[in-house]
Amino acid sequence: MENVIIIVLMLMMGAVGLAIARIRDLFAVSMLSGIFSLIGAAAYVVLDAVDVAFTEAAVGAGISTVLMLGTLALTTRKEKLGGGKSKSTTAFLVVAVTGAVLVYGTFDMPRYGDKIAAIHHHVVPRYIEKSGEEVGMPNIVTSVLASYRGYDTLGEVFVIFTAATGVLAILGRARRRREDEEADEGGSDTKGAAS
């Protein structure tokens, strides 16, 4: 039953991804991106990765959508078309090669639900039995996030910080452009009145 749910969710994510690639209204794209992340969060719940699902729902469907809508409020909601067919073909090839590499990387992973996978026999018992002694935290989840997976957590923080910095840079640029345009309009009005 879980496999059927996962397949349905993957098909829904594929359909939403195709819609995002085809639609030119950036407001609709922002909303569909949030829906895409929400479906991904549901898939993580089915896979028993509730912590990742919570992060995906909060960051992907929540904060990212709000930041994209805030950016649209200060810029425009229509995509500027440009680059032609050759640029689209290049982008498609980059995405296809990246996807193929990612799929190839999954070949070494254990099968989903594999009871003899290493993670079910080595890492989890060690976390439960020795995290208090090795890390000094009474909470195992905190030990995992802050110590055993500390670099992973640090990487996630860098991703969120980079995204927020990029959005703030775009918002600041749009605001400066708007102020420059208003200053130019004010200058031309003053010259017109003087003549």
Side-chain angles (χ1 to χ4, degrees):
M1 185 62 184
E2 286 184 356
N3 290 338
V4 174
I5 296 174
I6 289 295
I7 291 172
V8 171
L9 291 174
M10 293 296 108
L11 290 174
M12 291 172 65
M13 292 178 73
V16 173
L18 287 175
I20 290 173
R22 300 292 299 173
I23 292 176
R24 301 298 178 211
D25 187 336
L26 297 179
F27 176 78
V29 169
S30 300
M31 299 309 294
L32 286 174
S33 297
I35 293 172
F36 184 89
S37 294
L38 203 57
I39 298 172
Y44 287 131
V45 170
V46 176
L47 293 173
D48 290 333
V50 182
D51 57 333
V52 182
F54 180 78
T55 304
E56 182 65 30
V59 177
I63 296 174
S64 297
T65 303
V66 170
L67 290 177
M68 284 192 284
L69 292 177
T71 304
L72 292 180
L74 294 176
T75 55
T76 178
R77 60 182 293 172
K78 289 293 180 184
E79 178 184 357
K80 291 182 181 177
L81 298 176
K85 192 174 181 179
S86 62
K87 197 170 183 179
S88 299
T89 305
T90 304
F92 174 77
L93 289 176
V94 170
V95 171
V97 170
T98 304
V101 170
L102 292 175
V103 170
Y104 176 75
T106 64
F107 291 161
D108 288 337
M109 294 174 64
R111 289 176 46 210
Y112 173 65
D114 188 357
K115 294 180 180 177
I116 63 172
I119 190 172
H120 299 304
H121 292 272
H122 302 286
V123 180
V124 174
R126 181 188 178 93
Y127 288 167
I128 294 173
E129 295 170 4
K130 298 187 176 181
S131 64
E133 175 187 342
E134 293 179 344
V135 181
M137 294 282 183
N139 189 311
I140 297 175
V141 175
T142 304
S143 300
V144 171
L145 292 178
S147 181
Y148 295 113
R149 286 181 48 192
Y151 287 117
D152 182 59
T153 305
L154 182 64
E156 292 171 352
V157 172
F158 273 124
V159 168
I160 295 172
F161 176 77
T162 304
T165 304
V167 170
L168 289 176
I170 292 172
L171 294 179
R173 191 173 167 188
R175 183 175 298 169
R176 281 197 301 273
R177 186 185 309 164
R178 189 172 293 176
E179 289 173 355
D180 291 342
E181 289 174 357
E182 290 175 357
D184 290 342
E185 290 175 2
S188 61
D189 291 344
T190 305
K191 289 180 182 177
S195 62

PDB file of all heavy atoms in Angstrom, residues 38-72:
ATOM      1  N   LEU A  38       4.731  20.613  -0.648  1.00  0.00           N
ATOM      2  CA  LEU A  38       3.778  19.975   0.262  1.00  0.00           C
ATOM      3  C   LEU A  38       3.584  18.498  -0.090  1.00  0.00           C
ATOM      4  O   LEU A  38       3.523  17.639   0.803  1.00  0.00           O
ATOM      5  CB  LEU A  38       2.446  20.720   0.200  1.00  0.00           C
ATOM      6  CG  LEU A  38       1.532  20.583   1.417  1.00  0.00           C
ATOM      7  CD1 LEU A  38       2.230  21.042   2.688  1.00  0.00           C
ATOM      8  CD2 LEU A  38       0.250  21.360   1.203  1.00  0.00           C
ATOM      9  N   ILE A  39       3.498  18.203  -1.392  1.00  0.00           N
ATOM     10  CA  ILE A  39       3.390  16.799  -1.809  1.00  0.00           C
ATOM     11  C   ILE A  39       4.660  16.044  -1.425  1.00  0.00           C
ATOM     12  O   ILE A  39       4.620  14.892  -0.974  1.00  0.00           O
ATOM     13  CB  ILE A  39       3.136  16.709  -3.326  1.00  0.00           C
ATOM     14  CG1 ILE A  39       1.813  17.371  -3.686  1.00  0.00           C
ATOM     15  CG2 ILE A  39       3.114  15.247  -3.781  1.00  0.00           C
ATOM     16  CD1 ILE A  39       1.581  17.506  -5.178  1.00  0.00           C
ATOM     17  N   GLY A  40       5.822  16.708  -1.600  1.00  0.00           N
ATOM     18  CA  GLY A  40       7.079  16.086  -1.191  1.00  0.00           C
ATOM     19  C   GLY A  40       7.101  15.793   0.299  1.00  0.00           C
ATOM     20  O   GLY A  40       7.579  14.738   0.732  1.00  0.00           O
ATOM     21  N   ALA A  41       6.564  16.723   1.105  1.00  0.00           N
ATOM     22  CA  ALA A  41       6.497  16.505   2.551  1.00  0.00           C
ATOM     23  C   ALA A  41       5.613  15.300   2.870  1.00  0.00           C
ATOM     24  O   ALA A  41       5.942  14.491   3.756  1.00  0.00           O
ATOM     25  CB  ALA A  41       5.964  17.756   3.239  1.00  0.00           C
ATOM     26  N   ALA A  42       4.512  15.158   2.141  1.00  0.00           N
ATOM     27  CA  ALA A  42       3.637  13.993   2.349  1.00  0.00           C
ATOM     28  C   ALA A  42       4.378  12.699   2.015  1.00  0.00           C
ATOM     29  O   ALA A  42       4.239  11.687   2.715  1.00  0.00           O
ATOM     30  CB  ALA A  42       2.379  14.130   1.496  1.00  0.00           C
ATOM     31  N   ALA A  43       5.194  12.741   0.949  1.00  0.00           N
ATOM     32  CA  ALA A  43       5.966  11.545   0.576  1.00  0.00           C
ATOM     33  C   ALA A  43       6.969  11.192   1.676  1.00  0.00           C
ATOM     34  O   ALA A  43       7.154  10.016   1.993  1.00  0.00           O
ATOM     35  CB  ALA A  43       6.689  11.792  -0.745  1.00  0.00           C
ATOM     36  N   TYR A  44       7.590  12.210   2.269  1.00  0.00           N
ATOM     37  CA  TYR A  44       8.538  11.939   3.356  1.00  0.00           C
ATOM     38  C   TYR A  44       7.836  11.324   4.571  1.00  0.00           C
ATOM     39  O   TYR A  44       8.404  10.487   5.263  1.00  0.00           O
ATOM     40  CB  TYR A  44       9.249  13.230   3.766  1.00  0.00           C
ATOM     41  CG  TYR A  44      10.259  13.705   2.764  1.00  0.00           C
ATOM     42  CD1 TYR A  44      10.267  15.022   2.339  1.00  0.00           C
ATOM     43  CD2 TYR A  44      11.215  12.837   2.244  1.00  0.00           C
ATOM     44  CE1 TYR A  44      11.189  15.472   1.409  1.00  0.00           C
ATOM     45  CE2 TYR A  44      12.138  13.279   1.317  1.00  0.00           C
ATOM     46  CZ  TYR A  44      12.127  14.597   0.905  1.00  0.00           C
ATOM     47  OH  TYR A  44      13.036  15.030  -0.013  1.00  0.00           O
ATOM     48  N   VAL A  45       6.606  11.753   4.838  1.00  0.00           N
ATOM     49  CA  VAL A  45       5.852  11.169   5.954  1.00  0.00           C
ATOM     50  C   VAL A  45       5.595   9.687   5.689  1.00  0.00           C
ATOM     51  O   VAL A  45       5.747   8.852   6.585  1.00  0.00           O
ATOM     52  CB  VAL A  45       4.528  11.937   6.161  1.00  0.00           C
ATOM     53  CG1 VAL A  45       3.635  11.187   7.157  1.00  0.00           C
ATOM     54  CG2 VAL A  45       4.795  13.339   6.664  1.00  0.00           C
ATOM     55  N   VAL A  46       5.214   9.371   4.460  1.00  0.00           N
ATOM     56  CA  VAL A  46       4.970   7.967   4.117  1.00  0.00           C
ATOM     57  C   VAL A  46       6.250   7.146   4.272  1.00  0.00           C
ATOM     58  O   VAL A  46       6.214   5.976   4.661  1.00  0.00           O
ATOM     59  CB  VAL A  46       4.423   7.859   2.676  1.00  0.00           C
ATOM     60  CG1 VAL A  46       4.252   6.393   2.275  1.00  0.00           C
ATOM     61  CG2 VAL A  46       3.094   8.590   2.555  1.00  0.00           C
ATOM     62  N   LEU A  47       7.401   7.788   3.995  1.00  0.00           N
ATOM     63  CA  LEU A  47       8.688   7.092   4.120  1.00  0.00           C
ATOM     64  C   LEU A  47       9.226   7.104   5.551  1.00  0.00           C
ATOM     65  O   LEU A  47      10.381   6.741   5.778  1.00  0.00           O
ATOM     66  CB  LEU A  47       9.716   7.756   3.181  1.00  0.00           C
ATOM     67  CG  LEU A  47       9.439   7.598   1.687  1.00  0.00           C
ATOM     68  CD1 LEU A  47      10.412   8.445   0.878  1.00  0.00           C
ATOM     69  CD2 LEU A  47       9.551   6.141   1.275  1.00  0.00           C
ATOM     70  N   ASP A  48       8.398   7.564   6.503  1.00  0.00           N
ATOM     71  CA  ASP A  48       8.779   7.609   7.929  1.00  0.00           C
ATOM     72  C   ASP A  48       9.920   8.585   8.216  1.00  0.00           C
ATOM     73  O   ASP A  48      10.635   8.435   9.209  1.00  0.00           O
ATOM     74  CB  ASP A  48       9.170   6.213   8.444  1.00  0.00           C
ATOM     75  CG  ASP A  48       7.976   5.286   8.533  1.00  0.00           C
ATOM     76  OD1 ASP A  48       6.858   5.809   8.710  1.00  0.00           O
ATOM     77  OD2 ASP A  48       8.157   4.072   8.419  1.00  0.00           O
ATOM     78  N   ALA A  49      10.111   9.565   7.348  1.00  0.00           N
ATOM     79  CA  ALA A  49      11.107  10.614   7.599  1.00  0.00           C
ATOM     80  C   ALA A  49      10.361  11.888   8.020  1.00  0.00           C
ATOM     81  O   ALA A  49      10.312  12.876   7.291  1.00  0.00           O
ATOM     82  CB  ALA A  49      11.955  10.860   6.355  1.00  0.00           C
ATOM     83  N   VAL A  50       9.784  11.824   9.205  1.00  0.00           N
ATOM     84  CA  VAL A  50       8.906  12.907   9.648  1.00  0.00           C
ATOM     85  C   VAL A  50       9.680  14.206   9.855  1.00  0.00           C
ATOM     86  O   VAL A  50       9.166  15.303   9.586  1.00  0.00           O
ATOM     87  CB  VAL A  50       8.182  12.488  10.944  1.00  0.00           C
ATOM     88  CG1 VAL A  50       7.231  13.587  11.405  1.00  0.00           C
ATOM     89  CG2 VAL A  50       7.417  11.200  10.721  1.00  0.00           C
ATOM     90  N   ASP A  51      10.948  14.105  10.336  1.00  0.00           N
ATOM     91  CA  ASP A  51      11.716  15.333  10.554  1.00  0.00           C
ATOM     92  C   ASP A  51      12.002  16.047   9.236  1.00  0.00           C
ATOM     93  O   ASP A  51      11.895  17.270   9.136  1.00  0.00           O
ATOM     94  CB  ASP A  51      13.025  15.017  11.286  1.00  0.00           C
ATOM     95  CG  ASP A  51      13.875  14.001  10.537  1.00  0.00           C
ATOM     96  OD1 ASP A  51      13.299  13.181   9.791  1.00  0.00           O
ATOM     97  OD2 ASP A  51      15.108  14.032  10.691  1.00  0.00           O
ATOM     98  N   VAL A  52      12.328  15.268   8.192  1.00  0.00           N
ATOM     99  CA  VAL A  52      12.562  15.865   6.878  1.00  0.00           C
ATOM    100  C   VAL A  52      11.253  16.428   6.318  1.00  0.00           C
ATOM    101  O   VAL A  52      11.239  17.493   5.686  1.00  0.00           O
ATOM    102  CB  VAL A  52      13.167  14.826   5.918  1.00  0.00           C
ATOM    103  CG1 VAL A  52      13.459  15.448   4.562  1.00  0.00           C
ATOM    104  CG2 VAL A  52      14.429  14.227   6.505  1.00  0.00           C
ATOM    105  N   ALA A  53      10.143  15.722   6.546  1.00  0.00           N
ATOM    106  CA  ALA A  53       8.842  16.204   6.078  1.00  0.00           C
ATOM    107  C   ALA A  53       8.490  17.534   6.733  1.00  0.00           C
ATOM    108  O   ALA A  53       7.994  18.451   6.069  1.00  0.00           O
ATOM    109  CB  ALA A  53       7.767  15.167   6.392  1.00  0.00           C
ATOM    110  N   PHE A  54       8.786  17.633   8.013  1.00  0.00           N
ATOM    111  CA  PHE A  54       8.492  18.885   8.725  1.00  0.00           C
ATOM    112  C   PHE A  54       9.330  20.031   8.149  1.00  0.00           C
ATOM    113  O   PHE A  54       8.819  21.134   7.911  1.00  0.00           O
ATOM    114  CB  PHE A  54       8.795  18.706  10.216  1.00  0.00           C
ATOM    115  CG  PHE A  54       8.539  19.925  11.030  1.00  0.00           C
ATOM    116  CD1 PHE A  54       7.252  20.284  11.390  1.00  0.00           C
ATOM    117  CD2 PHE A  54       9.582  20.728  11.435  1.00  0.00           C
ATOM    118  CE1 PHE A  54       7.018  21.424  12.135  1.00  0.00           C
ATOM    119  CE2 PHE A  54       9.366  21.866  12.181  1.00  0.00           C
ATOM    120  CZ  PHE A  54       8.071  22.218  12.537  1.00  0.00           C
ATOM    121  N   THR A  55      10.606  19.761   7.890  1.00  0.00           N
ATOM    122  CA  THR A  55      11.466  20.796   7.312  1.00  0.00           C
ATOM    123  C   THR A  55      10.994  21.186   5.922  1.00  0.00           C
ATOM    124  O   THR A  55      10.952  22.373   5.574  1.00  0.00           O
ATOM    125  CB  THR A  55      12.929  20.287   7.255  1.00  0.00           C
ATOM    126  OG1 THR A  55      13.337  19.899   8.550  1.00  0.00           O
ATOM    127  CG2 THR A  55      13.853  21.359   6.725  1.00  0.00           C
ATOM    128  N   GLU A  56      10.628  20.195   5.109  1.00  0.00           N
ATOM    129  CA  GLU A  56      10.163  20.475   3.748  1.00  0.00           C
ATOM    130  C   GLU A  56       8.879  21.295   3.775  1.00  0.00           C
ATOM    131  O   GLU A  56       8.715  22.230   2.988  1.00  0.00           O
ATOM    132  CB  GLU A  56       9.929  19.155   3.003  1.00  0.00           C
ATOM    133  CG  GLU A  56       9.480  19.318   1.571  1.00  0.00           C
ATOM    134  CD  GLU A  56      10.535  19.961   0.701  1.00  0.00           C
ATOM    135  OE1 GLU A  56      11.731  19.766   0.984  1.00  0.00           O
ATOM    136  OE2 GLU A  56      10.169  20.668  -0.264  1.00  0.00           O
ATOM    137  N   ALA A  57       7.965  20.951   4.679  1.00  0.00           N
ATOM    138  CA  ALA A  57       6.710  21.698   4.765  1.00  0.00           C
ATOM    139  C   ALA A  57       6.949  23.127   5.244  1.00  0.00           C
ATOM    140  O   ALA A  57       6.377  24.079   4.706  1.00  0.00           O
ATOM    141  CB  ALA A  57       5.741  20.971   5.703  1.00  0.00           C
ATOM    142  N   ALA A  58       7.828  23.279   6.245  1.00  0.00           N
ATOM    143  CA  ALA A  58       8.055  24.618   6.805  1.00  0.00           C
ATOM    144  C   ALA A  58       8.849  25.503   5.846  1.00  0.00           C
ATOM    145  O   ALA A  58       8.469  26.663   5.603  1.00  0.00           O
ATOM    146  CB  ALA A  58       8.799  24.490   8.136  1.00  0.00           C
ATOM    147  N   VAL A  59       9.934  24.960   5.293  1.00  0.00           N
ATOM    148  CA  VAL A  59      10.813  25.775   4.436  1.00  0.00           C
ATOM    149  C   VAL A  59      10.306  25.796   2.993  1.00  0.00           C
ATOM    150  O   VAL A  59      10.158  26.861   2.384  1.00  0.00           O
ATOM    151  CB  VAL A  59      12.262  25.233   4.488  1.00  0.00           C
ATOM    152  CG1 VAL A  59      13.153  26.020   3.549  1.00  0.00           C
ATOM    153  CG2 VAL A  59      12.794  25.306   5.907  1.00  0.00           C
ATOM    154  N   GLY A  60      10.051  24.604   2.433  1.00  0.00           N
ATOM    155  CA  GLY A  60       9.666  24.540   1.023  1.00  0.00           C
ATOM    156  C   GLY A  60       8.282  25.099   0.750  1.00  0.00           C
ATOM    157  O   GLY A  60       8.112  25.936  -0.142  1.00  0.00           O
ATOM    158  N   ALA A  61       7.296  24.631   1.507  1.00  0.00           N
ATOM    159  CA  ALA A  61       5.922  25.072   1.250  1.00  0.00           C
ATOM    160  C   ALA A  61       5.587  26.370   1.975  1.00  0.00           C
ATOM    161  O   ALA A  61       4.713  27.108   1.535  1.00  0.00           O
ATOM    162  CB  ALA A  61       4.938  23.980   1.683  1.00  0.00           C
ATOM    163  N   GLY A  62       6.274  26.671   3.054  1.00  0.00           N
ATOM    164  CA  GLY A  62       5.933  27.862   3.837  1.00  0.00           C
ATOM    165  C   GLY A  62       6.804  29.060   3.525  1.00  0.00           C
ATOM    166  O   GLY A  62       6.404  29.966   2.783  1.00  0.00           O
ATOM    167  N   ILE A  63       8.021  29.046   4.052  1.00  0.00           N
ATOM    168  CA  ILE A  63       8.895  30.222   3.950  1.00  0.00           C
ATOM    169  C   ILE A  63       9.233  30.553   2.500  1.00  0.00           C
ATOM    170  O   ILE A  63       9.186  31.720   2.091  1.00  0.00           O
ATOM    171  CB  ILE A  63      10.184  29.978   4.775  1.00  0.00           C
ATOM    172  CG1 ILE A  63       9.834  29.837   6.254  1.00  0.00           C
ATOM    173  CG2 ILE A  63      11.171  31.113   4.574  1.00  0.00           C
ATOM    174  CD1 ILE A  63      11.007  29.445   7.126  1.00  0.00           C
ATOM    175  N   SER A  64       9.574  29.544   1.708  1.00  0.00           N
ATOM    176  CA  SER A  64       9.947  29.807   0.305  1.00  0.00           C
ATOM    177  C   SER A  64       8.799  30.444  -0.462  1.00  0.00           C
ATOM    178  O   SER A  64       9.001  31.372  -1.252  1.00  0.00           O
ATOM    179  CB  SER A  64      10.368  28.511  -0.373  1.00  0.00           C
ATOM    180  OG  SER A  64      11.508  27.974   0.240  1.00  0.00           O
ATOM    181  N   THR A  65       7.579  29.943  -0.236  1.00  0.00           N
ATOM    182  CA  THR A  65       6.427  30.510  -0.946  1.00  0.00           C
ATOM    183  C   THR A  65       6.206  31.957  -0.540  1.00  0.00           C
ATOM    184  O   THR A  65       5.943  32.827  -1.392  1.00  0.00           O
ATOM    185  CB  THR A  65       5.166  29.675  -0.643  1.00  0.00           C
ATOM    186  OG1 THR A  65       5.414  28.311  -1.007  1.00  0.00           O
ATOM    187  CG2 THR A  65       3.982  30.192  -1.429  1.00  0.00           C
ATOM    188  N   VAL A  66       6.326  32.240   0.748  1.00  0.00           N
ATOM    189  CA  VAL A  66       6.157  33.626   1.216  1.00  0.00           C
ATOM    190  C   VAL A  66       7.224  34.532   0.612  1.00  0.00           C
ATOM    191  O   VAL A  66       6.934  35.656   0.164  1.00  0.00           O
ATOM    192  CB  VAL A  66       6.203  33.668   2.759  1.00  0.00           C
ATOM    193  CG1 VAL A  66       6.271  35.108   3.256  1.00  0.00           C
ATOM    194  CG2 VAL A  66       4.988  32.966   3.346  1.00  0.00           C
ATOM    195  N   LEU A  67       8.486  34.059   0.568  1.00  0.00           N
ATOM    196  CA  LEU A  67       9.557  34.868  -0.008  1.00  0.00           C
ATOM    197  C   LEU A  67       9.335  35.103  -1.504  1.00  0.00           C
ATOM    198  O   LEU A  67       9.576  36.207  -2.007  1.00  0.00           O
ATOM    199  CB  LEU A  67      10.910  34.178   0.224  1.00  0.00           C
ATOM    200  CG  LEU A  67      11.403  34.148   1.680  1.00  0.00           C
ATOM    201  CD1 LEU A  67      12.704  33.365   1.781  1.00  0.00           C
ATOM    202  CD2 LEU A  67      11.580  35.551   2.220  1.00  0.00           C
ATOM    203  N   MET A  68       8.871  34.067  -2.224  1.00  0.00           N
ATOM    204  CA  MET A  68       8.615  34.254  -3.659  1.00  0.00           C
ATOM    205  C   MET A  68       7.473  35.236  -3.885  1.00  0.00           C
ATOM    206  O   MET A  68       7.550  36.091  -4.779  1.00  0.00           O
ATOM    207  CB  MET A  68       8.297  32.904  -4.306  1.00  0.00           C
ATOM    208  CG  MET A  68       9.524  32.047  -4.525  1.00  0.00           C
ATOM    209  SD  MET A  68       9.239  30.618  -5.578  1.00  0.00           S
ATOM    210  CE  MET A  68       8.369  29.541  -4.451  1.00  0.00           C
ATOM    211  N   LEU A  69       6.422  35.149  -3.074  1.00  0.00           N
ATOM    212  CA  LEU A  69       5.301  36.087  -3.234  1.00  0.00           C
ATOM    213  C   LEU A  69       5.743  37.507  -2.885  1.00  0.00           C
ATOM    214  O   LEU A  69       5.326  38.473  -3.529  1.00  0.00           O
ATOM    215  CB  LEU A  69       4.130  35.655  -2.348  1.00  0.00           C
ATOM    216  CG  LEU A  69       3.445  34.342  -2.759  1.00  0.00           C
ATOM    217  CD1 LEU A  69       2.357  33.975  -1.761  1.00  0.00           C
ATOM    218  CD2 LEU A  69       2.865  34.449  -4.165  1.00  0.00           C
ATOM    219  N   GLY A  70       6.603  37.641  -1.861  1.00  0.00           N
ATOM    220  CA  GLY A  70       7.129  38.968  -1.520  1.00  0.00           C
ATOM    221  C   GLY A  70       7.968  39.544  -2.647  1.00  0.00           C
ATOM    222  O   GLY A  70       7.897  40.746  -2.939  1.00  0.00           O
ATOM    223  N   THR A  71       8.746  38.692  -3.291  1.00  0.00           N
ATOM    224  CA  THR A  71       9.551  39.145  -4.431  1.00  0.00           C
ATOM    225  C   THR A  71       8.664  39.581  -5.585  1.00  0.00           C
ATOM    226  O   THR A  71       8.915  40.611  -6.227  1.00  0.00           O
ATOM    227  CB  THR A  71      10.485  38.010  -4.886  1.00  0.00           C
ATOM    228  OG1 THR A  71      11.290  37.588  -3.787  1.00  0.00           O
ATOM    229  CG2 THR A  71      11.382  38.478  -6.012  1.00  0.00           C
ATOM    230  N   LEU A  72       7.597  38.818  -5.847  1.00  0.00           N
ATOM    231  CA  LEU A  72       6.683  39.183  -6.934  1.00  0.00           C
ATOM    232  C   LEU A  72       5.985  40.510  -6.657  1.00  0.00           C
ATOM    233  O   LEU A  72       5.694  41.277  -7.575  1.00  0.00           O
ATOM    234  CB  LEU A  72       5.641  38.079  -7.134  1.00  0.00           C
ATOM    235  CG  LEU A  72       6.160  36.748  -7.680  1.00  0.00           C
ATOM    236  CD1 LEU A  72       5.016  35.757  -7.835  1.00  0.00           C
ATOM    237  CD2 LEU A  72       6.867  36.955  -9.003  1.00  0.00           C
TER     238      LEU A  72
END
